[in-house]
Amino acid sequence: MLTSPSLLYGRLRALSLAAAGALSLAGCGGGAAPTTYDLSAPRDFGRIGGSGGVLIVAEPSTVQALDSDRLIVKDSAGALSFLGGAQWADRVPKLVQTRLIQTFENGSRIAAVGRPGERIVPDLQLNTDIRSFNIDAASGAAVVEITAKLVGDRSGKVQRAKLFSARVPAGADGAGAARALDQALSQVLIQIARWAR
């Protein structure tokens, strides 16, 4: 059964308000711990042909509101609120970096992939920026938008840049929202891995 956007928005808004109340009460004597969700790295998308080079994946940059471990709901006016009773296993940029590295490994795309500071000599660095990683209350969809830039490690020159995005219908609770954001991120990670060949 399809849920109308206005009804879904109402449910998400009610959950956000309930979360705000629960947080204020939690400060006065404790409360239930939020449920923790994780993101996954796509596995079964086939091998991706590539240059066989060495790639460093930097931690994504983002705005302060998205640099957290909270599931975020964005309303039609652009206001952001936390989805009550739900959190990620780590900060979103750190999780996205880890899952992006694993996606490259799962696709056998390159000879080696790692983080800055690891003892590998890279050919390229992948810099990303998380523009959106939230539930859009107006449409009831999980929205993930990430820009990616491939930068020559020695030259510092941007070789390519592109915006990747995905939208997935979301449930009105923490589990449904987390599942939809995970699915949307998986679509974006596969797009980035195929593009960065």
Side-chain angles (χ1 to χ4, degrees):
M1 182 175 74
L2 294 176
T3 303
S4 71
S6 60
L7 181 60
L8 184 57
Y9 171 74
R11 288 180 184 167
L12 289 170
R13 187 72 181 141
L15 281 169
S16 296
L17 292 174
L23 286 175
S24 64
L25 291 175
C28 301
T35 303
T36 301
Y37 298 96
D38 201 356
L39 296 168
S40 58
R43 288 185 172 275
D44 300 321
F45 57 93
R47 291 176 61 90
I48 301 171
S51 62
V54 178
L55 180 70
I56 288 291
V57 177
E59 183 175 311
S61 60
T62 192
V63 296
Q64 184 176 0
L66 298 178
D67 190 5
S68 75
D69 64 352
R70 303 301 303 271
L71 275 74
I72 294 176
V73 178
K74 184 176 183 180
D75 70 16
S76 57
L80 303 177
S81 58
F82 297 139
L83 186 57
Q87 68 181 14
W88 295 114
D90 203 339
R91 293 172 35 253
V92 169
K94 191 72 172 172
L95 279 176
V96 170
Q97 179 191 31
T98 298
R99 301 306 176 234
L100 185 52
I101 289 169
Q102 291 170 347
T103 301
F104 278 106
E105 291 170 340
N106 293 344
S108 300
R109 150 67 180 86
I110 48 180
V113 61
R115 293 173 174 79
E118 294 182 355
R119 294 187 153 200
I120 58 176
V121 179
D123 300 302
L124 295 169
Q125 178 163 309
L126 179 64
N127 296 334
T128 55
D129 180 73
I130 302 171
R131 290 189 178 184
S132 298
F133 198 90
N134 59 268
I135 302 298
D136 177 42
S139 65
V143 180
V144 173
E145 290 186 345
I146 298 177
T147 58
K149 294 176 184 173
L150 275 176
V151 180
D153 190 68
R154 293 172 186 84
S155 68
K157 181 180 177 182
V158 175
Q159 297 187 356
R160 283 182 281 157
K162 189 172 180 180
L163 171 65
F164 300 91
S165 63
R167 298 176 72 91
V168 172
D173 60 354
R179 189 178 316 110
L181 282 164
D182 185 42
Q183 291 171 357
L185 177 64
S186 289
Q187 292 178 24
V188 168
L189 295 182
I190 291 171
Q191 292 171 28
I192 292 173
R194 292 187 187 282
W195 168 79
R197 60 185 185 277

